[in-house]
C-alpha cells in the first residue's frame, strides 16, 4: 500500500496533543500505518543500566503517530498528495494537490 508520507518529508500534525507542530518524518511503518516524527508524541521510557547506558534512568523518545494525523508540507502550506505519471521519465511521482507542483 502506498502512503502519502515518506522518510524525510516535512509534515504538519493535524490532530492530537501535538496539533499544529511542523516537523520531519524520521521513520515510516507502512504495515502499521504509523510514522515517527521528530519531537512529536514524545514519551518517557524507564531503562535499566546496560552497556550503552551505564547509568540507566528515564529516557525521552518519540513514539509512532498514525499517518492520518499528518499532512505533508509544500513549502509553508500543508497540502494533500496525489500521484501521477511524469511525462519525461514515465515514473510515478507525488504532487501537491494545492499547487500542482511535484514533491521531491
Amino acid at each position: 500500500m502506498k502512503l502519502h508520507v515518506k522518510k524525510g518529508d516535512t509534515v504538519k500534525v493535524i490532530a492530537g496533543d501535538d496539533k499544529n507542530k511542523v516537523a520531519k518524518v524520521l521513520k515510516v511503518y507502512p504495515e502499521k500505518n504509523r510514522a515517527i516524527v521528530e519531537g512529536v508524541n514524545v514519551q518517557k521510557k524507564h531503562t535499566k543500566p546496560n552497556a550503552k547506558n551505564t547509568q540507566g534512568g528515564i529516557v525521552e523518545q518519540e513514539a509512532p503517530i498514525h499517518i492520518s494525523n499528518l499532512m505533508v508540507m509544500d513549502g509553508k502550506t500543508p497540502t494533500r498528495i496525489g500521484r501521477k505519471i511524469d511525462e519525461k521519465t514515465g515514473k510515478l511521482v507525488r504532487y501537491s494537490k494545492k499547487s500542482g507542483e511535484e514533491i521531491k
Side-chain angles (χ1 to χ4, degrees), residues 40-45 59-63:
V40 173
N41 198 18
V42 176
Q43 296 178 349
K44 293 185 180 195
K45 181 179 181 181
V59 177
E60 287 192 353
Q61 64 183 26
E62 292 97 355

Side-chain angles (χ1 to χ4, degrees), residues 23-72:
K24 196 175 202 175
V25 176
L26 300 176
K27 188 164 183 175
V28 178
Y29 300 102
E31 64 281 351
K32 295 181 181 177
N33 285 335
R34 292 184 169 267
I36 293 181
V37 183
E38 193 174 21
V40 173
N41 198 18
V42 176
Q43 296 178 349
K44 293 185 180 195
K45 181 179 181 181
H46 297 260
T47 58
K48 287 185 173 182
N50 57 28
K52 276 188 179 175
N53 187 3
T54 56
Q55 185 69 30
I58 301 170
V59 177
E60 287 192 353
Q61 64 183 26
E62 292 97 355
I65 185 171
H66 200 272
I67 60 161
S68 66
N69 298 329
L70 303 174
M71 265 187 116
V72 176

Side-chain angles (χ1 to χ4, degrees), residues 2-103:
K2 294 270 186 185
L3 304 177
H4 66 278
V5 292
K6 283 186 177 181
K7 179 181 174 181
D9 282 348
T10 303
V11 295
K12 181 175 184 175
V13 181
I14 58 173
D17 292 339
D18 296 307
K19 185 174 179 176
N20 293 327
K21 278 192 181 177
V22 176
K24 196 175 202 175
V25 176
L26 300 176
K27 188 164 183 175
V28 178
Y29 300 102
E31 64 281 351
K32 295 181 181 177
N33 285 335
R34 292 184 169 267
I36 293 181
V37 183
E38 193 174 21
V40 173
N41 198 18
V42 176
Q43 296 178 349
K44 293 185 180 195
K45 181 179 181 181
H46 297 260
T47 58
K48 287 185 173 182
N50 57 28
K52 276 188 179 175
N53 187 3
T54 56
Q55 185 69 30
I58 301 170
V59 177
E60 287 192 353
Q61 64 183 26
E62 292 97 355
I65 185 171
H66 200 272
I67 60 161
S68 66
N69 298 329
L70 303 174
M71 265 187 116
V72 176
M73 297 290 284
D74 179 29
K76 293 191 177 197
T77 58
T79 181
R80 293 178 296 139
I81 297 296
R83 289 181 188 81
K84 64 182 175 183
I85 295 177
D86 190 19
E87 290 93 28
K88 297 173 188 169
T89 61
K91 292 186 176 182
L92 195 65
V93 293
R94 298 185 307 157
Y95 72 97
S96 164
K97 292 238 179 164
K98 206 170 242 187
S99 66
E101 294 178 17
E102 185 179 321
I103 294 180

